[in-house]
Amino acid sequence: GENVEQHPSTLSVQEGDSAVIKCTYSDSASNYFPWYKQELGKGPQLIIDIRSNVGEKKDQRIAVTLNKTAKHFSLHITETQPEDSAVYFCAASYASGGSYIPTFGRGTSLIVHP
Amino acid sequence: DGGITQSPKYLFRKEGQNVTLSCEQNLNHDAMYWYRQDPGQGLRLIYYSQIVNDFQKGDIAEGYSVSREKKESFPLTVTSAQKNPTAFYLCASSRPATNEKLFFGSGTQLSVL
């Protein structure tokens, strides 16, 4: 099955700095790569996703890059703000029997210091 | 408001007791999922269901059971066979035919007395 590794487990930055979270996956069949943000005591929410036919996608201060050959993808957050503090999960999935069953990384706790 | 609702928010289980976690969605989604979250472990799949009256085991199904009698509901029972049930449980739903995005509930924290 799919295996997703995520690094770092904890990331501490100053407000205004950039933050980068990296993930690798093992199954070349995976073709959908979402990122979820989880605030304390809440369920995760999708913040950005990318498909295997695209190398980069941006949405305001966040961007995701994908290198299919190396089987790794990254989340980039620029101009970080205290409200970006949360746990971020990457995932990899592919269609199987009409469903996408994502495999999640272990999460990165991002702390943005004012 | 459309969404996915989990209840209760906190639940306590006594030794040898079965407990049931509720998950309801009004998004008209076909697929529903249960994940277990432990500190530093990420999200691990317990069970998922693609349609009513059908469900599949995930990576850590032992000690859990589910049912899917209605499209809107996917309750999870933590049985006494689950020896380490303390965790944060997340329910999610999706409409995979059109969108792979998962919508999560706000979770249930289960603790053992």
Side-chain angles (χ1 to χ4, degrees):
Chain A
E2 176 64 276
N3 181 49
V4 177
E5 299 283 341
Q6 182 173 348
H7 299 281
S9 57
T10 305
L11 181 57
S12 184
V13 301
Q14 288 296 127
E15 182 177 359
D17 288 350
S18 294
V20 180
I21 302 170
K22 298 182 179 181
C23 289
T24 60
Y25 62 99
S26 61
D27 194 335
S28 56
S30 289
N31 58 8
Y32 176 65
F33 306 91
W35 286 88
Y36 288 83
K37 175 183 179 182
Q38 185 180 26
E39 297 177 347
L40 196 62
K42 298 183 179 180
Q45 281 194 305
L46 182 76
I47 56 171
I48 195 167
D49 54 12
I50 192 167
R51 299 179 192 282
S52 58
N53 58 350
V54 176
E56 184 176 1
K57 184 176 179 181
K58 290 183 180 179
D59 183 2
Q60 299 182 16
R61 295 186 298 106
I62 60 173
V64 58
T65 59
L66 171 67
N67 183 326
K68 281 195 305 181
T69 303
K71 295 196 187 75
H72 67 71
F73 56 113
S74 301
L75 178 71
H76 304 254
I77 306 174
T78 59
E79 300 173 23
T80 54
Q81 302 168 4
E83 50 266 38
D84 294 329
S85 296
V87 178
Y88 292 80
F89 292 98
C90 64
S93 68
Y94 58 89
S96 175
S99 276
Y100 284 82
I101 309 299
T103 299
F104 286 87
R106 294 194 171 198
T108 296
S109 178
L110 174 64
I111 304 165
V112 181
H113 299 280
Chain B
D1 271 344
I4 183 163
T5 302
Q6 289 186 241
S7 62
K9 190 165 181 65
Y10 300 97
L11 187 58
F12 297 90
R13 193 190 91 167
K14 294 180 181 179
E15 192 81 27
Q17 187 181 44
N18 292 355
V19 292
T20 298
L21 285 61
S22 171
C23 179
E24 304 276 334
Q25 54 97 1
N26 60 5
L27 299 167
N28 198 32
H29 285 172
D30 297 305
M32 297 188 74
Y33 314 78
W34 274 105
Y35 286 91
R36 170 176 170 145
Q37 184 175 19
D38 296 279
Q41 292 291 319
L43 305 176
R44 293 183 290 170
L45 183 65
I46 305 172
Y47 270 98
Y48 67 99
S49 167
Q50 298 181 41
I51 56 171
V52 175
N53 292 322
D54 185 54
F55 47 83
Q56 311 294 330
K57 291 182 178 180
D59 300 319
I60 55 165
E62 186 174 350
Y64 300 97
S65 65
V66 294
S67 63
R68 186 86 186 277
E69 298 176 1
K70 298 186 301 181
K71 188 175 185 178
E72 301 80 16
S73 178
F74 191 41
L76 172 74
T77 296
V78 184
T79 74
S80 56
Q82 173 48 246
K83 297 307 179 187
N84 185 23
T86 297
F88 190 57
Y89 290 86
L90 286 161
C91 179
S93 69
S94 71
R95 184 181 287 172
T98 57
N99 195 328
E100 307 93 327
K101 174 181 175 180
L102 294 186
F103 291 78
F104 284 89
S106 56
T108 293
Q109 175 65 50
L110 174 62
S111 301
V112 177
L113 288 177

Coordinates of all heavy atoms in Angstrom, one line a residue, chain B residues 58-91:
Chain B
G58 N -10.5 -0.6 7.0 CA -9.3 0.2 6.7 C -8.1 -0.5 7.3 O -8.1 -1.7 7.5
D59 N -7.1 0.3 7.7 CA -5.8 -0.2 8.2 C -5.9 -0.7 9.6 O -5.1 -1.6 10.0 CB -4.8 0.9 8.0 CG -4.6 1.4 6.6 OD1 -4.6 0.5 5.7 OD2 -4.4 2.6 6.4
I60 N -6.8 -0.2 10.4 CA -6.8 -0.5 11.8 C -8.3 -0.9 12.3 O -8.7 -0.4 13.3 CB -6.2 0.6 12.7 CG1 -7.0 1.9 12.4 CG2 -4.8 0.8 12.4 CD1 -6.7 3.0 13.5
A61 N -8.9 -1.8 11.6 CA -10.3 -2.1 11.9 C -10.6 -3.0 13.1 O -11.7 -3.0 13.6 CB -11.0 -2.7 10.7
E62 N -9.6 -3.6 13.6 CA -9.7 -4.6 14.7 C -10.2 -3.9 16.0 O -9.7 -2.9 16.4 CB -8.4 -5.3 15.0 CG -8.6 -6.4 16.1 CD -7.4 -7.2 16.3 OE1 -6.4 -7.1 15.5 OE2 -7.3 -8.0 17.2
G63 N -11.3 -4.4 16.5 CA -11.9 -3.8 17.7 C -13.0 -2.8 17.5 O -13.5 -2.1 18.4
Y64 N -13.3 -2.5 16.2 CA -14.3 -1.5 15.8 C -15.3 -2.2 14.9 O -15.1 -3.2 14.3 CB -13.6 -0.4 15.0 CG -12.6 0.4 15.7 CD1 -11.2 0.1 15.6 CD2 -12.9 1.4 16.6 CE1 -10.2 0.8 16.2 CE2 -11.9 2.1 17.3 CZ -10.6 1.8 17.1 OH -9.6 2.5 17.7
S65 N -16.5 -1.6 14.9 CA -17.6 -2.1 14.0 C -18.3 -0.9 13.5 O -18.4 0.2 14.2 CB -18.5 -3.1 14.6 OG -19.3 -2.5 15.6
V66 N -18.9 -1.0 12.3 CA -19.7 0.1 11.7 C -21.0 -0.4 11.1 O -21.1 -1.6 10.9 CB -18.9 0.9 10.7 CG1 -17.7 1.7 11.3 CG2 -18.5 0.0 9.5
S67 N -21.9 0.5 10.7 CA -23.0 0.2 9.9 C -23.3 1.3 9.0 O -22.9 2.5 9.3 CB -24.3 -0.1 10.8 OG -24.6 1.0 11.6
R68 N -24.0 1.1 7.9 CA -24.4 2.2 7.0 C -25.8 1.8 6.5 O -26.0 1.4 5.3 CB -23.4 2.3 5.8 CG -23.6 3.5 4.9 CD -23.0 4.7 5.4 NE -23.3 5.9 4.6 CZ -22.7 6.2 3.5 NH1 -21.8 5.5 2.9 NH2 -23.1 7.4 2.9
E69 N -26.8 2.0 7.3 CA -28.1 1.8 7.0 C -28.8 2.9 6.2 O -29.8 2.7 5.5 CB -28.9 1.4 8.2 CG -28.4 0.1 8.9 CD -29.2 -0.1 10.2 OE1 -30.1 0.7 10.6 OE2 -28.8 -1.1 10.9
K70 N -28.3 4.1 6.4 CA -28.8 5.3 5.7 C -27.6 6.1 5.1 O -26.5 6.0 5.6 CB -29.5 6.2 6.7 CG -30.7 5.6 7.4 CD -31.4 6.7 8.2 CE -30.5 7.3 9.3 NZ -31.3 8.3 10.1
K71 N -27.9 6.8 4.0 CA -26.8 7.5 3.4 C -26.2 8.6 4.3 O -25.0 8.9 4.2 CB -27.4 8.2 2.1 CG -26.3 8.9 1.2 CD -27.0 9.4 0.0 CE -26.0 10.0 -1.0 NZ -26.6 10.4 -2.3
E72 N -27.1 9.1 5.2 CA -26.6 10.3 6.0 C -25.9 9.9 7.2 O -25.2 10.7 7.9 CB -27.9 11.0 6.5 CG -28.7 11.6 5.4 CD -29.7 10.6 4.7 OE1 -29.9 9.5 5.3 OE2 -30.2 10.8 3.6
S73 N -25.9 8.6 7.6 CA -25.4 8.2 8.9 C -24.4 7.1 8.8 O -24.6 6.1 8.1 CB -26.6 7.8 9.8 OG -26.2 7.3 11.0
F74 N -23.3 7.2 9.6 CA -22.2 6.1 9.6 C -21.7 6.0 11.0 O -20.6 6.5 11.3 CB -21.2 6.6 8.6 CG -20.1 5.5 8.3 CD1 -20.5 4.2 8.1 CD2 -18.8 5.8 8.2 CE1 -19.5 3.2 7.8 CE2 -17.8 4.9 7.8 CZ -18.2 3.6 7.6
P75 N -22.4 5.4 11.9 CA -22.0 5.3 13.3 C -20.8 4.3 13.5 O -20.8 3.2 12.8 CB -23.2 4.8 14.1 CG -24.0 4.1 13.0 CD -23.8 4.8 11.7
L76 N -20.0 4.6 14.4 CA -18.8 3.7 14.7 C -18.9 3.2 16.2 O -19.1 4.0 17.1 CB -17.5 4.5 14.6 CG -16.2 3.8 15.1 CD1 -15.8 2.8 14.1 CD2 -15.1 4.8 15.3
T77 N -18.8 1.9 16.3 CA -18.9 1.3 17.7 C -17.5 0.8 18.0 O -16.8 0.1 17.3 CB -19.8 0.1 17.7 OG1 -21.2 0.6 17.5 CG2 -19.8 -0.6 19.1
V78 N -17.0 1.3 19.2 CA -15.7 0.9 19.7 C -16.0 -0.2 20.7 O -16.7 0.0 21.7 CB -15.0 2.1 20.4 CG1 -13.6 1.6 20.9 CG2 -14.9 3.3 19.5
T79 N -15.6 -1.4 20.4 CA -16.0 -2.6 21.2 C -15.0 -2.8 22.3 O -13.9 -2.2 22.3 CB -16.1 -3.9 20.3 OG1 -14.8 -4.3 20.0 CG2 -16.9 -3.6 19.1
S80 N -15.3 -3.7 23.2 CA -14.5 -4.0 24.4 C -13.2 -4.7 23.9 O -12.2 -4.8 24.6 CB -15.2 -4.9 25.4 OG -15.7 -6.0 24.8
A81 N -13.2 -5.2 22.6 CA -12.0 -5.9 22.1 C -10.9 -4.9 21.7 O -9.8 -5.2 21.5 CB -12.4 -6.6 20.8
Q82 N -11.3 -3.6 21.6 CA -10.3 -2.5 21.3 C -9.6 -2.2 22.7 O -10.2 -1.5 23.5 CB -10.9 -1.3 20.7 CG -10.0 -0.1 20.5 CD -8.7 -0.4 19.8 OE1 -7.7 -0.2 20.5 NE2 -8.8 -0.9 18.6
K83 N -8.4 -2.6 22.8 CA -7.7 -2.5 24.1 C -7.1 -1.1 24.4 O -6.8 -0.8 25.5 CB -6.6 -3.6 24.3 CG -7.2 -5.0 24.2 CD -8.3 -5.2 25.2 CE -8.8 -6.6 25.2 NZ -10.0 -6.8 26.1
N84 N -7.0 -0.3 23.4 CA -6.4 1.0 23.5 C -7.2 2.0 22.8 O -6.8 2.6 21.8 CB -4.9 1.0 23.0 CG -4.3 2.3 23.3 OD1 -4.7 3.1 24.1 ND2 -3.3 2.7 22.5
P85 N -8.5 2.3 23.3 CA -9.4 3.1 22.6 C -9.2 4.6 22.7 O -9.8 5.4 22.0 CB -10.8 2.7 23.1 CG -10.4 2.3 24.5 CD -9.1 1.7 24.5
T86 N -8.4 5.0 23.7 CA -8.2 6.5 23.9 C -7.6 7.1 22.7 O -6.5 6.8 22.3 CB -7.4 6.7 25.1 OG1 -8.0 6.2 26.3 CG2 -7.1 8.2 25.3
A87 N -8.4 8.0 22.0 CA -7.9 8.7 20.8 C -9.0 9.7 20.4 O -10.1 9.8 21.0 CB -7.7 7.7 19.7
F88 N -8.6 10.5 19.4 CA -9.5 11.5 18.8 C -10.0 10.8 17.5 O -9.3 10.4 16.7 CB -8.8 12.8 18.5 CG -9.6 13.9 18.1 CD1 -10.6 14.4 18.9 CD2 -9.3 14.6 16.9 CE1 -11.4 15.5 18.6 CE2 -10.1 15.7 16.6 CZ -11.1 16.2 17.4
Y89 N -11.4 10.7 17.4 CA -12.0 10.0 16.3 C -12.6 11.0 15.3 O -13.4 11.9 15.8 CB -13.0 9.0 16.8 CG -12.4 7.8 17.5 CD1 -12.1 7.9 18.8 CD2 -12.0 6.7 16.8 CE1 -11.5 6.8 19.5 CE2 -11.4 5.6 17.4 CZ -11.2 5.7 18.8 OH -10.6 4.6 19.4
L90 N -12.3 10.9 14.1 CA -12.8 11.9 13.0 C -13.6 11.1 12.0 O -13.2 10.1 11.5 CB -11.6 12.6 12.4 CG -10.9 13.6 13.2 CD1 -9.5 13.9 12.6 CD2 -11.7 14.9 13.2
C91 N -14.7 11.7 11.7 CA -15.6 11.2 10.6 C -15.4 12.1 9.4 O -15.3 13.3 9.6 CB -17.0 11.1 11.1 SG -18.2 10.5 9.9

